[in-house]
C-alpha cells in the first residue's frame, strides 16, 4: 500500500513536470552577402503545461552554439628583446560562436553542477586541449585567452543578453551575430529552469552561409586555387592595361 | 558603406579601402615607387590579416606595374632581355618565398617574419636614401658638383670575374648573367614575403651593381615586377588561398586616381627633396613596425582559426 502511494505521488510529480516548450527564430538562415555587417535575430519561446499554465516562477536560459573548429591560441614572449609567438595550445573543437542569454544571472538560476551538465557558460564549455610537451604556460590561461579574445570579437557572449518575459508564458531574446561570424550550422538551445532544475529543453537550428557572389568567390578560391589566382592576375593585368591606355590620352 | 570581403572574411568600409588606395596611390605617383611597402603595413594596421594583406598586395602591384611599365615601354625604357633574366630569377625567388611564407604560417611565425623583413629592408634602404638625399641637398646648397664616374669604372673587379657573360644591348652592358639572376631571385623572395614589388631594392641594385643606364632602370624593374607579382599571386592563391580579389580591386580604384594626381605634384618637386621625403616615409613605416616588435603588446595571446580546406560548396 505504501508502495502504491509512492507510485502515485511519483506519477503526479512526473506529470506536473511535463512542461512544454516551443521556440522559434525570426530567421533560420543567415546569408552572408556583400553588405553583411552582422545579423540580429529574435528567438521567441512559449512555455506551457500539459494541463494549462506553468505554475510558479521560472527562468529561461538560451544557449547559441556555432560550428566547432580548431582554434590555435598562441602566447607571445619576449625573446632577445622582441615579442615573438612562443607557446601554443590547440583547441580542436572550440565553438566558433557561443552565446548565453538568460532571464537573470545564470548563477542565480541553478547550481554550478547543473549548469555544467547542460554546458551553460564559458566555464562549462568542455574543450579538448592539444598542447606540446613541456608547456610552461598553464592551460587555463590559454583557455581564458580564447574566451577573452573571442568575447572582444563579439563571437563569445555571456552575461550580456537578457531573455525578456512577455506575459506569463512568452519570452524573447536577441541573438547577435557579428560580421566575422563563422559559417555553418548553429544550435539554439532554450532551457526552462524552475527552482534550479531543468524543466524543459528545446532546440532549433540556424544556418549561416555565404551566399551569391561571396559564396562563389570563396568556393572558387578554395576549390580551384590555381584558376582563382590566374583570374586575379588577369583582372590585374586588364585593369593596369586599361588605365595605362586611357591615362595616355 | 560596409562591404564583406569573402577571402579576408571581414567587413570593411568601402570608402576607407578606396581612400587608403588613393593615399598610397598618391604617394607612389609622387615618388615614382610601387607603394607596396606602404600598403601592406596599412592594411595590417586596419585589421586585415597579415597573410591576406601580403598576398592581396601582390595582386594590386601587378596592375599598378602594368600601367607604369606601359608608359616606360612607349619611351623605349624597357630592356626586355634584362627583364627576362630578372624574371627568371624572380620566379625562382618568388616560389621559394611563397614556400617559406606557407611554412612559417603553419608555425605561427609569419607575422614576425613580415615585421622583421620590413624593419630590416626599410630601415637599411630608408637610411641610405635619407643619407644620400640629405647630402645631395646640402651639396646643392653649397654649390658642389660631384665629378662624373667614367663608364668603364662602373663595375667592381669581382663582377667582371663572374662567368656566363651575356650582352644586353639596350643597357649597353656585357656582364655575367648570374648577377641579374641573383638580384631577380632576391627581389622575388621579398615580393612573396613582404607583399611588395621590390623596386626599392632592385632599382639601386640595377644602378650600382649592374651599372644599367638610368633611362631603362625603372621601366625594366616595372616589367619584372609585373611578372613576379603575378606569379606570387598565383603561388599564394594555391598555397594559402589568401588573395582577396575584391580588396585588390577596391585598392586599385583608389590607387589609380591617387597616382595621377601624385605624379603631377611630383613633377613640380626637386629630385633630392622627393627622395628625402620618401626616405622619411620609409623610415616612419620601419619604426612603426619595429615598435610593434619591441613594445609589450596589450594582449599577449592570439587566436587563429584553423580552417579545414573545403573542396566543394556546402549544399
Amino acid at each position: 500500500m505504501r508502495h502504491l502511494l509512492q507510485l502515485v505521488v511519483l506519477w503526479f510529480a512526473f506529470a506536473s513536470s511535463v512542461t512544454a516548450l516551443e521556440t522559434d527564430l525570426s530567421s533560420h538562415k543567415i546569408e552572408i552577402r556583400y553588405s553583411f555587417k552582422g545579423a540580429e535575430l529574435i528567438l521567441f519561446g512559449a512555455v506551457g503545461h500539459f494541463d494549462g499554465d506553468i505554475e510558479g516562477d521560472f527562468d529561461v536560459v538560451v544557449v547559441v552554439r556555432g560550428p566547432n573548429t580548431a582554434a590555435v591560441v598562441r602566447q607571445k614572449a619576449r625573446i632577445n628583446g622582441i615579442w615573438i609567438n612562443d607557446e601554443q595550445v590547440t583547441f580542436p573543437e572550440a565553438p566558433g560562436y557561443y552565446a548565453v542569454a538568460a532571464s537573470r544571472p545564470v548563477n542565480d538560476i541553478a547550481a554550478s553542477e547543473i549548469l555544467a551538465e547542460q554546458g551553460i557558460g564559458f566555464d562549462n564549455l568542455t574543450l579538448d586541449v592539444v598542447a606540446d610537451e613541456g608547456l610552461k604556460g598553464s592551460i587555463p590561461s590559454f583557455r581564458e585567452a580564447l574566451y577573452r579574445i573571442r568575447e572582444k570579437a563579439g563571437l563569445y557572449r555571456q552575461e550580456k543578453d537578457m531573455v525578456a518575459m512577455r506575459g506569463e508564458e512568452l519570452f524573447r531574446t536577441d541573438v547577435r551575430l557579428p560580421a566575422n561570424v563563422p559559417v555553418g550550422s548553429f544550435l539554439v538551445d532554450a532551457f526552462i529552469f524552475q527552482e534550479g532544475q531543468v524543466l524543459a529543453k528545446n532546440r532549433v537550428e540556424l544556418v549561416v552561409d555565404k551566399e551569391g557572389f561571396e559564396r562563389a568567390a570563396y568556393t572558387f578560391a578554395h576549390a580551384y586555387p590555381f584558376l582563382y589566382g590566374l583570374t586575379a592576375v588577369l583582372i590585374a593585368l586588364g585593369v593596369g592595361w586599361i588605365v595605362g591606355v586611357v591615362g595616355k590620352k | 558603406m560596409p562591404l564583406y570581403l569573402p577571402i579576408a572574411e571581414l567587413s570593411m568600409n568601402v570608402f576607407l579601402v578606396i581612400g587608403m588606395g588613393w593615399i598610397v596611390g598618391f604617394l607612389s605617383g609622387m615618388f615614382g615607387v610601387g607603394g607596396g611597402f606602404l600598403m601592406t603595413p596599412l592594411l595590417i594596421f586596419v585589421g586585415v590579416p597579415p597573410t591576406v594583406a601580403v598576398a592581396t598586395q601582390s595582386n594590386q602591384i601587378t596592375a599598378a606595374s602594368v600601367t607604369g611599365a606601359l608608359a616606360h615601354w612607349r619611351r623605349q625604357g624597357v630592356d626586355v632581355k634584362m627583364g627576362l633574366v630578372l624574371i627568371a630569377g624572380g620566379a625562382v625567388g618568388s616560389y621559394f618565398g611563397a614556400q617559406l611564407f606557407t611554412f612559417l604560417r603553419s608555425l605561427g611565425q609569419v607575422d614576425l617574419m613580415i615585421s622583421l623583413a620590413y624593419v630590416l629592408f626599410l630601415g637599411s634602404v630608408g637610411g641610405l636614401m635619407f643619407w644620400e638625399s640629405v647630402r645631395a641637398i646640402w651639396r646643392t646648397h653649397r654649390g658642389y658638383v660631384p665629378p662624373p664616374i667614367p663608364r668603364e669604372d662602373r663595375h667592381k673587379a669581382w663582377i667582371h670575374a663572374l662567368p656566363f657573360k651575356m650582352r644586353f644591348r639596350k643597357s649597353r652592358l656585357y656582364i655575367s648573367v648570374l648577377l641579374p639572376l641573383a638580384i631577380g631571385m632576391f627581389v622575388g623572395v621579398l615580393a612573396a614575403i613582404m607583399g611588395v614589388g621590390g623596386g626599392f631594392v632592385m632599382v639601386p641594385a640595377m644602378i650600382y651593381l649592374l651599372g644599367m643606364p638610368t633611362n631603362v632602370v625603372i621601366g625594366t624593374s616595372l616589367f619584372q615586377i609585373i611578372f613576379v607579382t603575378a606569379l606570387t599571386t598565383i603561388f599564394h592563391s594555391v598555397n594559402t588561398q589568401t588573395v582577396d580579389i575584391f580588396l585588390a580591386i577596391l585598392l586599385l580604384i583608389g590607387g589609380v586616381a591617387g597616382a595621377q594626381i601624385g605624379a603631377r605634384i611630383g613633377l613640380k618637386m626637386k629630385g633630392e627633396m622627393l627622395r628625402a621625403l620618401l626616405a622619411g616615409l620609409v623610415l616612419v613605416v620601419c619604426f612603426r613596425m619595429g615598435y610593434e616588435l619591441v613594445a609589450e603588446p596589450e594582449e599577449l595571446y592570439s587566436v587563429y582559426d584553423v580552417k579545414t580546406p573545403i573542396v566543394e560548396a556546402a549544399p
Side-chain angles (χ1 to χ4, degrees):
Chain A
M1 190 64 197
R2 254 187 50 188
H3 280 280
L4 192 70
L5 200 70
Q6 266 181 346
L7 214 67
V8 170
V9 169
L10 212 67
W11 162 250
F12 272 105
F14 176 71
S16 63
S17 76
V18 180
T19 308
L21 171 62
E22 275 303 324
T23 52
D24 201 7
L25 284 165
S26 54
S27 170
H28 288 268
K29 190 163 171 45
I30 298 296
E31 299 181 342
I32 297 183
R33 289 179 183 277
Y34 60 90
S35 59
F36 186 73
K37 50 175 199 265
E40 234 174 80
L41 305 166
I42 302 164
L43 175 105
F44 297 102
V47 192
H49 231 247
F50 79 106
D51 60 352
D53 293 350
I54 185 167
E55 280 168 40
D57 289 340
F58 64 95
D59 290 299
V60 186
V61 178
V62 176
V63 177
V64 185
R65 235 186 129 114
N68 286 348
T69 49
V72 181
V73 180
R74 300 192 170 109
Q75 186 189 19
K76 280 200 167 75
R78 190 175 225 146
I79 296 169
N80 297 327
I82 56 172
W83 290 90
I84 294 178
N85 281 335
D86 186 19
E87 297 199 297
Q88 68 174 54
V89 164
T90 306
F91 298 96
E93 295 280 307
Y97 179 88
Y98 181 81
V100 178
S103 50
R104 59 193 173 113
V106 285
N107 291 324
D108 298 345
I109 293 175
S112 50
E113 304 85 67
I114 307 273
L115 294 176
E117 226 169 77
Q118 306 294 343
I120 297 171
F122 294 172
D123 297 337
N124 297 320
L125 279 171
T126 44
L127 298 180
D128 290 340
V129 180
V130 180
D132 293 337
E133 290 208 7
L135 186 79
K136 285 172 280 164
S138 73
I139 286 175
S141 68
F142 281 90
R143 188 175 299 154
E144 275 158 30
L146 175 72
Y147 300 156
R148 185 172 62 241
I149 291 165
R150 292 231 161 132
E151 210 176 345
K152 213 172 162 192
L155 290 169
Y156 283 13
R157 309 173 61 91
Q158 72 177 6
E159 289 158 17
K160 277 190 183 144
D161 304 309
M162 286 296 292
V163 173
M165 306 306 296
R166 291 276 179 272
E168 292 284 299
E169 287 98 28
L170 298 176
F171 63 86
R172 58 162 282 177
T173 186
D174 295 328
V175 178
R176 290 169 226 269
L177 305 175
N180 54 349
V181 69
V183 296
S185 20
F186 286 59
L187 298 176
V188 184
D189 287 315
F191 300 87
I192 299 296
F193 279 94
Q194 202 165 34
E195 283 161 14
Q197 298 299 321
V198 178
L199 274 193
K201 274 201 250 187
N202 189 287
R203 172 173 281 183
V204 278
E205 283 184 29
L206 166 68
V207 175
V208 176
D209 204 359
K210 290 177 183 170
E211 286 299 321
F213 214 49
E214 322 313 290
R215 161 53 70 193
Y218 186 83
T219 309
F220 185 30
H222 285 81
Y224 307 99
F226 177 74
L227 285 178
Y228 177 88
L230 202 64
T231 310
V233 167
L234 290 177
I235 290 174
L237 291 176
V239 171
W241 186 76
I242 290 167
V243 172
V245 170
V246 172
K248 188 188 155 200
K249 284 166 193 164
Chain B
M1 197 170 91
L3 179 81
Y4 183 84
L5 301 166
I7 305 300
E9 300 199 297
L10 50 89
S11 185
M12 280 182 89
N13 188 310
V14 175
F15 301 112
L16 172 78
V17 178
I18 295 178
M20 281 178 2
W22 195 93
I23 290 170
V24 174
F26 177 83
L27 293 171
S28 59
M30 190 158 101
F31 298 126
V33 294
F37 76 95
L38 288 172
M39 188 55 96
T40 307
L42 204 56
L43 287 174
I44 295 171
F45 184 67
V46 299
V48 174
T51 46
V52 176
V54 166
T56 303
Q57 199 39 39
S58 311
N59 193 24
Q60 198 224 329
I61 296 170
T62 307
S65 310
V66 170
T67 310
L70 266 179
H72 286 274
W73 181 271
R74 286 191 205 104
R75 270 178 240 145
Q76 311 281 314
V78 179
D79 183 340
V80 177
K81 193 172 175 189
M82 177 64 83
L84 290 175
V85 173
L86 287 166
I87 290 166
V92 176
S94 162
Y95 175 78
F96 286 110
Q99 293 294 326
L100 179 69
F101 190 87
T102 312
F103 173 68
L104 288 172
R105 191 186 188 223
S106 69
L107 289 185
Q109 299 298 3
V110 76
D111 304 11
L112 174 73
M113 178 195 62
I114 294 171
S115 302
L116 283 178
Y118 267 90
V119 170
L120 190 69
F121 291 107
L122 295 188
S124 48
V125 171
L128 282 173
M129 207 156 54
F130 191 71
W131 165 244
E132 184 274 332
S133 52
V134 166
R135 201 173 56 169
I137 292 171
W138 181 244
R139 279 177 172 174
T140 343
H141 192 69
R142 294 247 308 258
Y144 171 81
V145 183
I149 306 164
R151 243 189 98 77
E152 296 71 45
D153 295 354
R154 284 169 311 155
H155 294 138
K156 299 217 167 15
W158 65 271
I159 291 174
H160 282 300
L162 290 170
F164 310 113
K165 289 207 173 187
M166 195 184 253
R167 193 167 297 283
F168 297 97
R169 281 184 204 289
K170 194 122 195 176
S171 302
R172 285 172 282 139
L173 281 175
Y174 181 63
I175 51 162
S176 164
V177 75
L178 294 178
L179 204 58
L181 269 180
I183 293 171
M185 198 159 104
F186 183 66
V187 168
V189 174
L190 293 190
I193 66 175
M194 288 172 77
V196 295
F200 67 98
V201 169
M202 192 157 39
V203 168
M206 288 159 103
I207 295 175
Y208 298 113
L209 278 178
L210 299 183
M212 280 171 71
T214 41
N215 62 327
V216 291
V217 165
I218 307 277
T220 308
S221 109
L222 285 169
F223 179 73
Q224 191 255 15
I225 290 171
I226 296 172
F227 293 93
V228 174
T229 53
L231 272 173
T232 307
T233 304
I234 292 177
F235 289 144
H236 282 313
S237 298
V238 171
N239 289 347
T240 49
Q241 289 94 43
T242 44
V243 177
D244 199 308
I245 298 185
F246 300 94
L247 183 58
I249 290 175
L250 286 179
L251 292 173
L252 265 178
I253 294 171
V256 163
Q260 309 278 337
I261 296 166
R264 245 171 267 162
I265 290 176
L267 285 177
K268 291 181 190 148
M269 292 171 76
K270 276 191 179 156
E272 53 267 28
M273 196 66 196
L274 274 176
R275 288 204 298 280
L277 280 174
L278 175 61
L281 197 65
V282 167
L283 289 176
V284 166
V285 176
C286 164
F287 284 128
R288 164 96 201 138
M289 292 290 241
Y291 178 76
E292 300 267 295
L293 282 175
V294 292
E296 177 163 2
E298 242 174 70
E299 174 63 84
L300 281 181
Y301 295 85
S302 52
V303 177
Y304 290 82
D305 294 331
V306 184
K307 299 242 162 57
T308 40
I310 56 157
V311 183
E312 267 178 283

